[in-house]
Amino acid sequence: MSVILAIESSCDETSAAICRDGKIISNHIANQTVHEKYGGVVPELASRAHLQNIVPVVDAALKTAQTDLSEIDAIAFTQAPGLIGSLLVGTQFAKSLSLALNKPLIAVHHMQAHVLANLIPDDKPAFPFLCLTVSGGHTQIVLCQSPLQMKVLGETIDDAAGEAFDKSAKLLGLPYPGGPLIDKYAASGNPNKYQFPEPQIPGLNFSFSGLKTSILYFLQNAGKSLAYKEEFIASEEEKKKFIAENLDDICASIQWRIISILLNKLKKAAKETGVSNLCIAGGVSANSGLRKAFAEMGIANNWKTFIPAFQYCTDNAGMIAITAYYKLLAGEFVDLNISPTARAEW
Ligand code: KG4
Ligand code: ZN
């Protein structure tokens, strides 16, 4: 029997979850709306919001799980990577609880946890599996041999997939985070209307900066060209009118290009490694177009595909708790000298 309390505070979501014997029985997330008007996460405001949210979120997780601190066997927290001020709040809270309750402490890597969100449901992928991890800060193809044995096979050389969504949305005048909004408008648009370029990057790495530049020029030209052409530069009014009249088709075309960049590399990885269990993870795996195309790719190639439930795609403590469960089984604990780190290699 083991009961783990897990805390996630790496970016702008404060979350707490309870895992009992490998089952997530509660997962509470407090979203921080304070960043919307700034067009991105403001680190200082994120840390302050975590401080306000952390006690209520932990209380809610314990309450939903119908448990209390006396039943907790271990405390887990996100140690890296993330915004340092945000990580410090969760780390310090977890360390204080560990000290007060005299219970072991488990440090979790946020990206490893995104991958292991796929082990939360009863229908889990068998090992080895490949995971396309796509979030606001990362885009990776990970080969997972066992819960704690992972290798990054490829990653982005510039922007992450989530950034590609959010930066495109910003160019369209949509608020942050723009990914979910592009998803929403794309649902009623034509993905083949505009042909944004697919970069030719060797191996299993990704690049999204060229796509961002072509979208910038395309909008500057009010849709007349994908490349920079001085003679096509439109006025602000023309640009706004073009976006308003074609928003669904523009979003569908951008979304489709991001999806095809991601899935073509995942397909290549599956062919090269011969691994036929495929997963997706991270905030961008909440994208409905990606989920659909990913499942279709699996059917077409006779590969098994797995997608976490929505609440375990974007940042959440449930994924920290499941990772901590496997670390607890392996006896991987840390002592109270542990500090968070903003960047962390695997
Ligand atoms: O994993 P996550 O919650 O936080 C990080 O660790 O970065 O990912 C956040 C990213 C943001 O870029 C957000 O726009 C994107 O995930 N995202 C989406 C969708 N939901 C969240 N992107 C596209 N479609 C969505 N439905
Ligand atoms: Zn994340």
Side-chain angles (χ1 to χ4, degrees):
M1 272 288 282
S2 69
V3 182
I4 299 170
L5 164 64
I7 291 158
E8 151 66 28
S9 71
S10 64
C11 190
D12 60 339
E13 252 99 32
T14 323
S15 181
I18 302 289
C19 175
R20 180 174 282 138
D21 295 330
K23 288 243 162 294
I24 304 304
I25 49 174
S26 67
N27 179 48
H28 280 261
I29 304 169
N31 301 109
Q32 302 182 0
T33 49
V34 63
H35 309 284
E36 269 166 25
K37 58 177 176 286
Y38 299 100
V41 178
V42 183
E44 166 79 17
L45 297 179
S47 313
R48 286 168 186 269
H50 283 306
L51 273 178
Q52 283 177 337
N53 292 341
I54 198 153
V55 172
V57 157
V58 169
D59 275 346
L62 289 167
K63 203 166 166 202
T64 303
Q66 296 182 325
T67 187
D68 59 39
L69 289 175
S70 67
E71 261 196 12
I72 301 300
D73 298 307
I75 324 288
F77 66 100
T78 307
Q79 189 256 335
L83 299 171
I84 196 66
S86 292
L87 288 165
L88 274 165
V89 177
T91 305
Q92 199 50 38
F93 192 87
K95 282 168 69 165
S96 307
L97 269 185
S98 163
L99 183 66
L101 301 174
N102 194 25
K103 295 294 174 189
L105 194 58
I106 303 174
V108 172
H109 190 292
H110 182 86
M111 298 313 294
Q112 189 174 27
H114 269 306
V115 174
L116 295 189
N118 283 285
L119 301 186
I120 292 175
D122 291 335
D123 182 24
K124 303 180 203 328
F127 294 99
F129 65 78
L130 287 174
C131 184
L132 171 70
T133 316
V134 274
S135 72
H138 294 81
T139 299
Q140 298 177 324
I141 295 178
V142 178
L143 171 64
C144 196
Q145 305 276 14
S146 71
L148 303 178
Q149 240 190 321
M150 295 185 197
K151 191 175 166 206
V152 179
L153 302 184
E155 58 194 330
T156 182
I157 57 169
D158 40 54
D159 288 346
E163 274 178 296
F165 270 107
D166 296 340
K167 287 179 179 175
S168 304
K170 200 170 178 180
L171 292 172
L172 291 167
L174 300 173
Y176 177 86
L181 290 170
I182 292 198
D183 192 356
K184 184 178 130 194
Y185 293 117
S188 22
N190 172 5
N192 301 313
K193 177 93 177 267
Y194 306 109
Q195 304 291 326
F196 293 107
E198 178 157 2
Q200 300 305 314
I201 306 295
L204 296 175
N205 286 339
F206 302 88
S207 167
F208 291 99
S209 63
L211 173 64
K212 185 183 61 190
T213 310
S214 71
I215 294 168
L216 174 76
Y217 291 152
F218 170 78
L219 295 176
Q220 270 181 355
N221 296 330
K224 292 193 190 70
S225 156
L226 287 174
Y228 180 78
K229 294 253 167 60
E230 192 129 13
E231 65 270 30
F232 288 149
I233 291 193
S235 67
E236 266 315 293
E237 225 162 83
E238 275 176 292
K239 204 177 120 179
K240 278 197 180 133
K241 185 165 174 280
F242 170 72
I243 293 174
E245 285 171 356
N246 299 283
L247 187 60
D248 293 352
D249 290 340
I250 300 170
C251 287
S253 303
I254 293 173
Q255 177 167 299
W256 176 243
R257 177 50 72 213
I258 296 174
I259 292 171
S260 71
I261 293 172
L262 294 171
L263 292 187
N264 283 342
K265 288 293 171 123
L266 183 60
K267 202 187 274 181
K268 188 171 157 65
K271 290 191 171 152
E272 281 178 13
T273 57
V275 173
S276 58
N277 291 314
L278 307 184
C279 301
I280 51 175
V284 178
S285 65
N287 183 270
S288 50
L290 177 61
R291 294 166 87 90
K292 186 164 172 278
F294 174 64
E296 286 168 358
M297 183 181 90
I299 293 168
N301 292 279
N302 212 10
W303 293 329
K304 274 190 135 182
T305 54
F306 300 84
I307 311 178
F310 275 107
Q311 63 165 325
Y312 300 122
C313 286
T314 46
D315 288 349
N316 68 90
M319 68 185 194
I320 306 302
I322 194 77
T323 308
Y325 170 69
Y326 289 100
K327 289 198 150 200
L328 183 136
L329 293 182
E332 280 191 29
F333 301 106
V334 291
D335 66 30
L336 288 170
N337 291 324
I338 187 95
S339 302
T341 46
R343 290 183 177 277
E345 298 310 321
W346 293 56

